[in-house]
Amino acid sequence: MPLSRRALLAAAALAPVAQRAMAEAPLIRRPIPSSGETLPAIGIGTSRRYEVAPVPEQVKPLREAVETFVKLGGSVIDTAPSYGTAEDVLGMILSEGDLRRKVFLATKVDTRGSEETKAQVARSLQRLRTDRLDLVAVHNLIDTANNLTVLRGLKEQKTLRYVGVTVWRDNQFDGLEPVMRAEKLDFVQVNYAIDNRAAAERVLPLASEKGIAVMVNVPFGRDRLFKAVQGKEVPGFAKEFGCATWPQFFLKYALGHPAVTCPIPGMAKAAYVQDNLGAAHDPLPDAGQRKQMEAFIDAL
């Protein structure tokens, strides 16, 4: 039976050099073009991984993951009302101590109609136990023009700080590109991985041109990449850019694109956080090394 992503990550021991780098060096930070604010270059995505019962025994490992994430310098956490109980769980975690103050908190809207959208944002605020959101994005381009109008109104009221739109499939790019050209956006969220590079041909160059920050979802291809490299060692050339494990290999590839602000892999345990954040340190692969990485994965 193929090993799951969780098993592969649990089996991957961090090299001492990577551990020292995380302890001693700050995370790479990337700017939000619309404001100049910078963000740590890897965040947490909560789809699937945080959809658990909002009770202490279920939430404990997730709390440990978030606490480790913040301790190591991370801040971006992305969720959505459609991710089951994820907003409730995240609200439980962030309500303790000063975690909320240290987190860049992003969620989404997927409703139609102004009043429905306002009500959904209000529910997200309640579930997340906060009075302000850092980013709210229109999920999967649902009722985009109307929802962006509502979100901009809430931005003026200081309920949220940034607005954006999201997609997660290549076949949504035809709808995404006109929105990026016509609307003033702070963020887009798009699917991009070393074995799924279509966004680099269309969306990422446009984001650079329009000054839009880019969150990258499914950077591991929903575990597709881990299945492809099962039983294989990270290639020796990856040491040239400080890469110790396969998660770091995949994340450093995404971060090697200058338009990418922040990949948001799912991280449900502290060990995964430690491993993944090892990718958010210099050096990153240059253009030639990224081509070498692509050739290696394409040959599998």
Side-chain angles (χ1 to χ4, degrees):
M1 180 182 295
L3 289 175
S4 68
R5 171 178 177 270
R6 289 178 172 82
L8 281 164
L9 285 172
L14 286 176
V17 171
Q19 290 177 319
R20 287 197 297 271
M22 283 189 290
E24 297 170 3
L27 300 183
I28 295 168
R29 299 183 71 92
R30 293 276 171 86
I32 303 170
S34 65
S35 70
E37 178 183 359
T38 63
L39 297 175
I42 290 178
I44 292 178
T46 60
S47 176
R48 298 191 298 166
R49 305 296 196 268
Y50 285 63
E51 297 178 40
V52 302
V55 295
E57 60 269 25
Q58 294 286 321
V59 173
K60 181 180 178 181
L62 302 174
R63 186 188 308 283
E64 292 172 350
V66 172
E67 289 174 344
T68 301
F69 175 71
V70 171
K71 182 178 180 180
L72 292 175
S75 71
V76 177
I77 303 181
D78 177 77
T79 190
S82 59
Y83 296 168
T85 58
E87 285 190 331
D88 297 292
V89 167
L90 198 51
M92 288 180 64
I93 294 169
L94 297 181
S95 66
E96 292 194 5
D98 62 351
L99 282 175
R100 174 64 190 97
R101 180 180 62 82
K102 297 178 179 179
V103 164
F104 182 97
L105 185 55
T107 191
K108 307 177 184 72
V109 292
D110 59 5
T111 51
R112 297 181 183 276
S114 300
E115 295 308 312
E116 290 81 357
T117 298
K118 291 176 185 177
Q120 187 174 53
V121 172
R123 286 193 298 273
S124 290
L125 289 166
Q126 182 178 32
R127 295 175 75 188
L128 290 164
R129 305 189 192 187
T130 188
D131 58 3
R132 193 181 189 195
L133 296 161
D134 294 292
L135 165 64
V136 181
V138 179
H139 204 178
N140 286 323
L141 304 177
I142 295 172
D143 198 12
T144 304
N146 180 67
N147 277 331
L148 285 174
T149 298
V150 174
L151 294 180
R152 290 191 182 107
L154 294 172
K155 183 177 179 180
E156 290 177 1
Q157 296 170 20
K158 310 298 184 184
T159 302
L160 54 97
R161 300 172 57 221
Y162 296 105
V163 302
V165 297
T166 79
V167 298
W168 68 279
R169 301 189 308 272
D170 293 359
N171 63 8
Q172 294 173 299
F173 293 171
D174 286 342
L176 175 62
E177 289 176 278
V179 175
M180 293 174 66
R181 294 186 185 280
E183 300 281 0
K184 183 173 176 55
L185 302 172
D186 299 304
F187 280 83
V188 295
Q189 186 180 131
V190 65
N191 52 299
Y192 179 54
I194 192 171
D195 69 338
N196 181 23
R197 305 189 287 266
E201 300 173 8
R202 303 174 57 177
V203 178
L204 300 186
L206 182 57
S208 293
E209 174 190 333
K210 302 295 289 185
I212 303 170
V214 178
M215 283 188 183
V216 168
N217 56 42
V218 293
F220 299 145
R222 294 204 181 278
D223 297 342
R224 184 180 61 243
L225 285 167
F226 289 104
K227 293 175 182 176
V229 300
Q230 181 181 345
K232 297 177 174 61
E233 294 186 0
V234 176
F237 68 79
K239 295 179 182 178
E240 298 171 9
F241 43 89
C243 200
T245 67
W246 283 117
Q248 293 173 14
F249 187 90
F250 303 140
L251 291 169
K252 276 183 176 277
Y253 175 81
L255 281 174
H257 196 293
V260 170
T261 308
C262 182
I264 48 170
M267 293 188 265
K269 292 185 179 180
Y272 306 164
V273 172
Q274 291 174 330
D275 194 1
N276 289 348
L277 289 191
H281 294 279
D282 286 322
L284 292 175
D286 61 25
Q289 290 167 326
R290 293 178 81 247
K291 288 291 185 184
Q292 192 175 11
M293 297 168 82
E294 292 171 3
F296 183 91
I297 293 299
D298 289 350
L300 295 179

